[in-house]
């Protein structure tokens, strides 16, 4: 037995469980467990990947200037206030590592992204979970939990796995209610699925204690490359860059992301297709007696009568080659999170749920 003891908090971390990708005995599956874009990346991003493959022997840029400039141009942001990471998760890790430690508290909500408490414990801080109200973030509950040990508040908007969203007025009310020494971190992984939504960029521009993160893993279809970015006051970006590995993104990642963010037509198409099939699937599920909240993301949180029915439906779907996501770990044992796939994927879900209901009747 070795004598090495990990830092406090590390052994309290529950291992992150990714979306299931395989079903034993089933050769061809429809994977709807990880909120991936069924249309994939835009052709320009695919070409950028091919074009940079031969440069794998060269070290990439350390400052990500081209990608930051492209993000700034598309979103109307100052490139000097942008930091790039290995997915938005790495940017969230930078923030937690830089601004929390032992004795500090990090607030997240009842059904919030499971990486939030993991990141807090990695830094030695204490995660504090606050209740939501009918699967929607409760601003008053967050503000009531703030004390002199609070350093960060994580808010995913739209939220994962619920798909619900706080209004701009409520987010501003939350920001107004936080002390100046508490950072509000707006996780906008699904922001692009909401037409006209800036993910909180205007709020970041106007405040000293608000940070926004975004990802290329969802609407841009680049989850396999792991690229994200954050937008914050320059002073905070300067701090985060001091703990960022100098070569954290490859030349291929940078080129693919730049091509993707510049292809605005692809984003519009993906948003339109997602909204169309999301509405269709929600309506068909409701007809089968499966409730869901209005989703602002690329998935639906389907709610069943109880945990037993949800798990039985999941197993039935798997037998049909359809993989969705159980979310009991998010305090939603009676629900399944279903990614909005293409037409074939959505129809396969409804056909399978209908067959399950008929079988159970």
């Amino acid at each position: 037995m070795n004598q090495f003891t990990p830092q406090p908090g590390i052994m309290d971390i529950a291992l992150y469980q990714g979306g299931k990708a395989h079903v034993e005995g089933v050769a061809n599956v429809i994977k709807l467990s990880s909120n991936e874009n069924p249309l994939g990346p835009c052709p320009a991003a695919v070409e950028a990947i091919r074009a940079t493959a031969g440069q794998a022997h060269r070290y990439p840029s350390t400052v990500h200037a081209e990608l930051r400039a492209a993000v700034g141009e598309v979103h109307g942001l100052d490139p000097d206030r942008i930091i790039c990471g290995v997915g938005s998760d790495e940017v969230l890790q930078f923030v937690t590592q830089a601004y929390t430690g032992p004795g500090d508290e990090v607030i997240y909500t009842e059904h919030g992204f499971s990486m939030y408490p993991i990141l807090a414990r990695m830094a030695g801080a204490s995660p504090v979970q606050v209740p939501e109200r009918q699967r929607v973030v409760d601003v008053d509950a967050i503000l009531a939990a703030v004390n002199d040990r609070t350093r960060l508040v994580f808010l995913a908007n739209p939220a994962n796995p619920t798909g619900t969203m706080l209004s701009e007025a409520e987010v501003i009310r939350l920001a107004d209610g936080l002390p100046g020494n508490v950072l509000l971190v707006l996780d906008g992984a699904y922001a692009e699925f909401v037409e006209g939504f800036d993910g909180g960029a205007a709020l970041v521009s106007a405040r000293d204690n608000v940070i926004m993160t975004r990802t290329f893993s969802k609407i841009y279809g680049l989850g396999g490359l792991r690229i994200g970015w954050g937008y914050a006051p320059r002073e905070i970006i300067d701090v985060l860059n001091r703990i960022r590995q100098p070569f954290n993104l490859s030349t291929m990642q940078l080129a693919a992301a730049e091509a993707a963010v510049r292809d605005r037509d692809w984003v519009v198409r993906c948003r339109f297709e997602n909204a169309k099939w999301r509405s269709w699937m929600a309506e068909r599920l409701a007809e089968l007696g499966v409730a869901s909240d209005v989703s602002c993301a690329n998935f639906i949180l389907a709610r069943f009568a109880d945990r037993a029915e949800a798990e039985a439906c999941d197993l039935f779907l798997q037998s049909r080659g359809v993989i969705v996501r159980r979310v009991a770990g998010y305090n939603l044992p009676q629900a399944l999170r279903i990614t909005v796939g293409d037409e074939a994927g959505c129809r396969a879900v409804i056909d399978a749920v209908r067959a399950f209901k008929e079988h159970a009747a």
Side-chain angles (χ1 to χ4, degrees):
M1 184 175 179
N2 69 58
Q3 303 299 309
F4 302 106
T5 302
Q7 290 294 317
I10 290 180
M11 295 310 295
D12 295 325
I13 296 173
L15 294 177
Y16 178 82
Q17 300 295 320
K20 190 172 182 177
H22 307 284
V23 177
E24 187 175 352
V26 180
N28 298 310
V29 299
I30 299 173
K31 185 190 175 193
L32 302 174
S33 57
S34 298
N35 301 340
E36 295 155 334
N37 183 347
L39 298 179
C42 67
V46 175
E47 180 53 37
I49 292 169
R50 292 195 183 102
T52 54
Q55 302 175 34
H57 60 301
R58 302 293 186 191
Y59 279 99
S61 164
T62 63
V63 297
H64 313 148
E66 291 82 3
L67 178 54
R68 290 188 295 105
V71 170
E73 176 186 326
V74 169
H75 294 285
L77 305 176
D78 179 358
D80 290 338
R81 297 179 61 175
I82 294 171
I83 186 171
C84 301
V86 182
S88 56
D89 290 359
E90 189 180 40
V91 180
L92 296 174
Q93 182 177 340
F94 294 155
V95 175
T96 312
Q97 181 182 353
Y99 291 103
T100 73
D104 295 333
E105 293 184 353
V106 174
I107 292 176
Y108 70 107
T109 63
E110 179 182 4
H111 307 304
F113 183 35
S114 61
M115 281 303 299
Y116 302 153
I118 290 175
L119 293 171
R121 290 188 173 101
M122 284 173 59
S126 300
V128 175
Q129 183 186 105
V130 301
E132 296 187 11
R133 184 179 300 168
Q134 295 296 305
R135 297 165 302 281
V136 178
V137 168
D138 186 337
V139 169
D140 292 320
I142 292 176
L143 294 176
V146 174
N147 59 44
D148 58 5
R149 295 183 298 280
T150 306
R151 294 294 175 266
L152 294 182
V153 173
F154 281 120
L155 173 66
N157 203 35
N160 173 31
T162 62
T164 58
M165 185 173 176
L166 274 189
S167 68
E168 180 182 11
E170 281 293 274
V171 176
I172 291 174
R173 187 166 74 87
L174 173 59
D176 286 342
L178 292 175
N181 65 338
V182 174
L183 287 172
L184 173 59
V185 184
L186 302 176
D187 181 350
Y190 299 92
E192 287 86 359
F193 291 102
V194 182
E195 187 172 3
F197 180 48
D198 72 352
L203 194 61
V204 177
S205 296
R207 308 288 177 115
D208 294 329
N209 64 331
V210 183
I211 302 170
M212 176 184 74
T213 64
R214 303 283 274 273
T215 186
F216 285 92
S217 296
K218 304 306 179 185
I219 207 166
Y220 292 106
L222 291 171
L225 288 189
R226 310 302 300 123
I227 314 147
W229 56 278
Y231 177 59
R234 290 191 186 190
E235 294 80 3
I236 290 177
I237 293 297
D238 177 66
V239 171
L240 303 186
N241 272 320
R242 293 171 187 274
I243 58 176
R244 177 180 61 84
Q245 293 289 330
F247 302 109
N248 62 326
L249 290 177
S250 69
T251 300
M252 181 180 291
Q253 288 170 296
L254 293 167
E258 181 181 349
V261 77
R262 290 190 182 281
D263 194 337
R264 306 186 198 190
D265 290 341
W266 186 259
V267 171
V268 171
R269 178 188 172 190
C270 292
R271 184 188 302 122
F272 175 81
E273 289 295 316
N274 176 75
K276 179 174 71 174
W277 290 107
R278 182 181 64 198
S279 296
W280 182 88
M281 190 159 62
E283 290 169 3
R284 300 294 86 75
L285 286 170
E287 292 169 358
L288 295 170
V290 180
S292 64
D293 298 307
V294 174
S295 173
C296 297
N298 68 334
F299 56 84
I300 290 172
L301 184 69
R303 303 199 312 276
F304 295 82
D306 51 32
R307 180 173 192 153
E309 185 185 28
E311 293 183 352
C313 185
D314 179 41
L315 292 174
F316 188 88
L317 290 171
Q318 290 184 46
S319 74
R320 294 290 189 95
V322 179
I323 304 176
V324 298
R325 181 73 179 266
R326 295 187 188 185
V327 284
Y330 288 91
N331 300 310
L332 292 160
Q334 78 286 12
L336 298 175
R337 192 190 69 188
I338 307 171
T339 303
V340 177
D342 57 13
E343 178 177 359
C346 291
R347 291 190 183 279
V349 168
I350 297 305
D351 289 345
V353 173
R354 181 181 294 113
F356 167 74
K357 289 286 190 174
E358 291 172 351
H359 178 77

